[in-house]
Amino acid sequence: MVTGGGRGIGRAIARRLAQDGAKVALWDLADHEGVADELKAQGAQAIFVPVDVTNADSISQGVEATIANLGSIDILVNNAGITQDSLLMRMDEGQWDAVLNVNLKGAYLCSKAVLRPMLKARYGRIINIASVVGLMGNAGQTNYSASKAGLIGFTKSLAREVASRGITVNAVAPGFIASEMTDALSDKQKEVLQGQIPMGEIGTPEDVANGVWFLSTDASRYITGQVLNINGGLLMV
């Protein structure tokens, strides 16, 4: 299951997991770019499931549909996320609540919904997409940074709760990744951005997807409660 799998980083994650033979359920409000059909055309087992990750009933229906079509839920990637940037003194409660509800509460609801089948199977991989700003902060993103910092704490706590049952819980914290937002930047702005990154370049969605893929496999079986930073050296901890 990849939440927010209809585009961007979620799309790249779905493609990478399918490439490795995983059956993929893309959860999103809409399959914006026909990713499920694309994967099926390539021979993968993939379905699109319309789900609102802030709504427990929608998630419950999504779990039922996923299990009915694909048989089990072994991997959950909590990728769905939004931004509503503003300086705190100008930020209204709606902007704060919307970001926390999708980015943090959504991960809580989805993780809770898949735990029962994972516990029964004594196997599972939960991977939460956090952000470098959850570790270092960013002006104008108090709501987004708080949601991602909360997601990291959530990751570490849940990892302790379920480790003895064969379930690992980890987070990936991307830095600056090529997206619609970075595409809109001027060459000068991109130059300044890249100047902050020791590797001198903005990452790609595929860079993030490869990290998620690793954490989803048995190659990472002894790794849990960790944050994998994928940021070109922007933040080293």
Side-chain angles (χ1 to χ4, degrees), residues 25-237:
L26 295 99
W27 283 24
D28 211 322
L29 295 175
D31 189 1
H32 304 277
E33 299 180 13
V35 182
D37 288 339
E38 171 198 323
L39 296 179
K40 285 188 285 188
Q42 295 171 358
Q45 282 189 261
I47 58 170
F48 167 69
V49 184
V51 174
D52 176 358
V53 299
T54 68
N55 184 289
D57 289 337
S58 179
I59 290 169
S60 179
Q61 293 168 12
V63 168
E64 290 179 9
T66 300
I67 292 176
N69 282 276
L70 302 181
S72 65
I73 298 174
D74 307 300
I75 302 164
L76 165 64
V77 183
N78 283 309
N79 167 74
I82 63 170
T83 58
Q84 291 196 15
D85 298 347
S86 177
L87 294 175
L88 184 64
M89 65 182 298
R90 298 173 184 165
M91 184 181 295
D92 61 41
E93 285 188 52
Q95 291 172 298
W96 177 272
D97 289 344
V99 171
L100 270 291
N101 279 340
V102 174
N103 299 5
L104 186 55
K105 184 179 179 181
Y108 149 72
L109 289 172
C110 289
S111 298
K112 185 176 180 180
V114 304
L115 274 182
R116 193 173 299 279
M118 284 185 177
L119 288 168
K120 185 177 180 180
R122 299 189 69 85
Y123 181 88
R125 299 284 184 265
I126 297 176
I127 303 153
N128 300 315
I129 307 302
S131 170
V132 66
V133 304
L135 295 165
M136 63 183 285
N138 193 35
Q141 287 192 312
T142 52
N143 50 1
Y144 186 75
S145 298
S147 71
K148 296 303 186 178
L151 195 54
I152 290 170
F154 173 83
T155 297
K156 293 177 179 292
S157 297
L158 182 57
R160 291 182 179 276
E161 292 183 12
V162 299
S164 65
R165 302 299 292 273
I167 303 169
T168 64
V169 187
N170 292 288
V172 169
F176 293 124
I177 302 298
S179 64
E180 293 177 2
M181 180 186 71
T182 56
D183 288 343
L185 297 176
S186 68
D187 289 341
K188 181 63 177 178
Q189 289 173 315
K190 290 180 182 179
E191 185 179 334
V192 171
L193 199 60
Q194 290 170 350
Q196 301 174 41
I197 304 170
M199 290 186 71
E201 60 180 296
I202 295 172
T204 69
E206 289 71 27
D207 291 323
V208 180
N210 285 331
V212 172
W213 167 79
F214 168 68
L215 292 173
S216 75
T217 70
D218 287 341
S220 65
R221 70 162 201 91
Y222 202 55
I223 300 173
T224 196
Q226 304 303 308
V227 181
L228 176 59
N229 292 290
I230 302 176
N231 59 40
L234 176 64
L235 177 68
M236 302 183 190
V237 294

